[in-house]
């Protein structure tokens, strides 16, 4: 009975969206919030299909972005630092801080509890010991995602403020949460625009033809709303 009720509610909100229409960003944001009918604070996500060849290494799309407005839950940060940097990392907001002892513990248990792992450059060679634990989880610190650096305080603070790393998946798609449904339309639009601009800035030079083939906004369990991103960053 609950499923039938949920299905009926979904159909009602889905009917508000013209599946053949590509909406302007402002209208798409308004519509995706209007069709968010969960009892909890839904996440608003953007899904992009990119015109890249994922088999070519020079066409991988990856970078980092610091959103102008909160996208929701703060990330749990683990910092691999030498002893003289531990206090600095803790004061910057790292949830777990440690050096070789922490690395040995992870190597022994095969477990790591964090959303993002960061490190100072001198710790990278020591992290080889836990590469098989961090790597498959996408947690290995990497200069390309700005999770490795001497200024560990800045790295941690930016992540805590909402800085995220993004990367295309194996099917040339990009998925990113840009905020909660409770966030204002203006703020969601600014986060959305900032994300699309960031994607356009890192377009691979060897990528030919249409770069962003399609853009879609959705809320948790809500219908998809197609968005026109041609004017963003133009």
């Amino acid at each position: 009975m609950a499923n039938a009720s949920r299905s009926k509610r979904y159909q009602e909100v889905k009917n508000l969206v013209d599946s053949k229409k590509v909406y302007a960003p402002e209208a798409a944001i308004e519509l995706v919030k209007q069709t968010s009918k969960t009892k909890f604070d839904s996440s608003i996500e953007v899904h992009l299909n990119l015109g890249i060849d994922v088999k070519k290494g020079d066409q991988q799309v990856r970078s980092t972005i610091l959103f102008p407005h909160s996208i929701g839950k703060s990330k749990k940060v683990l910092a691999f630092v030498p002893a003289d940097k531990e206090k600095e990392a803790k004061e910057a907001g790292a949830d777990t801080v440690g050096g070789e002892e922490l690395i040995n513990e992870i190597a022994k248990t095969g477990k790591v509890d964090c959303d993002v792992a960061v490190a100072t450059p001198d710790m990278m060679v020591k992290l080889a010991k836990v590469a098989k634990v961090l790597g498959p989880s996408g947690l290995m610190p990497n200069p390309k995602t700005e999770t490795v650096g001497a200024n560990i305080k800045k790295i941690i603070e930016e992540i805590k403020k909402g800085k995220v790393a993004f990367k295309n998946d194996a099917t040339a798609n990009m998925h990113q949460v840009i905020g909660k449904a409770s966030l204002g339309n203006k703020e969601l639009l600014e986060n959305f625009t900032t994300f699309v601009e960031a994607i356009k800035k890192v377009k691979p030079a060897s990528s030919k033809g249409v770069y962003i083939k399609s853009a879609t906004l959705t809320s948790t369990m809500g219908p998809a709303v197609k968005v026109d991103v041609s004017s963003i960053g133009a």
Side-chain angles (χ1 to χ4, degrees), residues 1-57:
M1 194 74 181
N3 286 339
S5 173
R6 190 158 58 241
S7 176
K8 182 181 178 181
R9 184 167 62 243
Y10 178 82
Q11 289 301 325
E12 286 175 354
V13 296
K14 188 179 179 183
N15 289 337
L16 297 172
V17 180
D18 184 344
S19 60
K20 295 179 181 179
K21 184 176 178 179
V22 180
Y23 293 83
E26 295 86 349
I29 292 288
E30 189 172 336
L31 195 52
V32 81
K33 286 190 67 174
Q34 187 182 350
T35 54
S36 175
K37 297 295 184 181
T38 56
K39 293 180 180 179
F40 54 89
D41 194 7
S42 299
S43 292
I44 305 297
E45 302 174 0
V46 57
H47 305 276
L48 304 177
N49 179 241
L50 305 177
I52 57 174
D53 186 345
V54 294
K55 294 178 181 177
K56 295 182 178 179

Side-chain angles (χ1 to χ4, degrees), residues 3 25 61 63-64 85 109 124 136 143 151-152 174 183-184 219:
N3 286 339
V61 176
S63 188
T64 60
K85 291 271 188 180
T109 64
M124 290 306 293
N151 192 346
I152 202 71
M174 188 79 72
L183 198 61
S219 63

